[in-house]
Amino acid sequence: MSAAIREVAEVYLGPGEFRFATCPTRLRTILGSCVAITLWHPQRKIGGMCHFMLPSRVRCSTALNGLYADEAIELFVRQARAHRTEPEEYQLKLFGGGEMFPELQRHVAFSDVARLNVNAALEMAALYRLDLIAQDMGSTGYRSIVFDLCNGDVWVRHQPIRTLN
């Protein structure tokens, strides 16, 4: 009479990592200026997550690398097709791109990696015609992400940075 206990694989993704999996799996990561892309196929209960650090690079090899937004999306496309599905059948959610050092922007001229990452994620979603159903990007601070491949839910805990004025 008790409910069956289901074993769930818990996988942590570090910066640049990409994982495509099936239910029952939970994918986790922690983001600052990086962005996590999640793709989930609601009928097949398959999908993946990546933790990219930069929008793109000048390709110096043929191997795709999840460190870069454009290459991470290509990894997703290849996995979708390898599983006999099309990328447009997946639900897309985007997270991260938090500015980690907002106080430095007033004193030092430097590239805003967080903003560039957010823009790259949105551009890739539009380019590949992906179904963007949720996003939590920008602001400051870090985010903890948990993506459950059994139901497509993503839990986000956002800890903004408090700045002194």
Side-chain angles (χ1 to χ4, degrees), residues 135-146:
Q135 63 178 306
D136 182 11
M137 297 191 293
S139 187
T140 64
Y142 72 91
R143 289 170 174 84
S144 298
I145 309 295
V146 178

Side-chain angles (χ1 to χ4, degrees), residues 47-66:
M49 180 164 72
C50 77
H51 176 152
F52 78 82
M53 295 178 67
L54 297 168
S56 64
R57 66 174 168 161
V58 175
R59 286 259 173 101
C60 55
S61 73
T62 57
L64 295 174
N65 191 324

Side-chain angles (χ1 to χ4, degrees), residues 8-11 13 19-22 24-29 36-41 45-50 76 90-93 95 144-156:
V8 177
E10 300 270 344
V11 179
L13 276 66
R19 184 64 60 102
F20 199 92
T22 61
T25 304
R26 282 194 196 112
L27 304 173
R28 300 174 173 271
T29 197
I37 299 171
T38 67
L39 278 179
W40 185 65
H41 195 288
K45 297 191 182 343
I46 60 174
M49 180 164 72
C50 77
F76 277 122
Y90 289 74
Q91 296 176 349
L92 170 70
K93 297 178 184 178
F95 306 95
S144 298
I145 309 295
V146 178
F147 175 31
D148 189 334
L149 285 164
C150 290
N151 56 25
D153 289 345
V154 179
W155 295 279
V156 180

Side-chain angles (χ1 to χ4, degrees), residues 6 10 15-16 19 26 29-30 38 45 51 78 81-83 89 91 99-101 111 113-115 134 142 154 156:
R6 178 181 57 160
E10 300 270 344
R19 184 64 60 102
R26 282 194 196 112
T29 197
I30 297 175
T38 67
K45 297 191 182 343
H51 176 152
R78 289 181 182 187
R81 292 188 176 137
H83 285 84
E89 298 170 4
Q91 296 176 349
E99 177 57 54
M100 297 307 294
F101 306 102
S111 178
V113 174
R115 182 180 47 77
Y142 72 91
V154 179
V156 180

Side-chain angles (χ1 to χ4, degrees), residues 68-136:
Y68 308 98
D70 56 347
E71 296 181 42
I73 288 290
E74 186 60 33
L75 289 168
F76 277 122
V77 168
R78 289 181 182 187
Q79 283 295 311
R81 292 188 176 137
H83 285 84
R84 296 186 173 105
T85 58
E86 290 300 320
E88 299 83 12
E89 298 170 4
Y90 289 74
Q91 296 176 349
L92 170 70
K93 297 178 184 178
L94 301 171
F95 306 95
E99 177 57 54
M100 297 307 294
F101 306 102
E103 67 282 354
L104 291 180
Q105 290 207 351
R106 287 183 252 152
H107 306 291
V108 180
F110 68 97
S111 178
D112 182 359
V113 174
R115 182 180 47 77
L116 294 173
N117 283 340
V118 167
N119 291 343
L122 294 170
E123 287 170 11
M124 291 296 107
L127 178 66
Y128 284 87
R129 295 185 184 106
L130 299 173
D131 183 20
L132 178 59
I133 65 166
Q135 63 178 306
D136 182 11

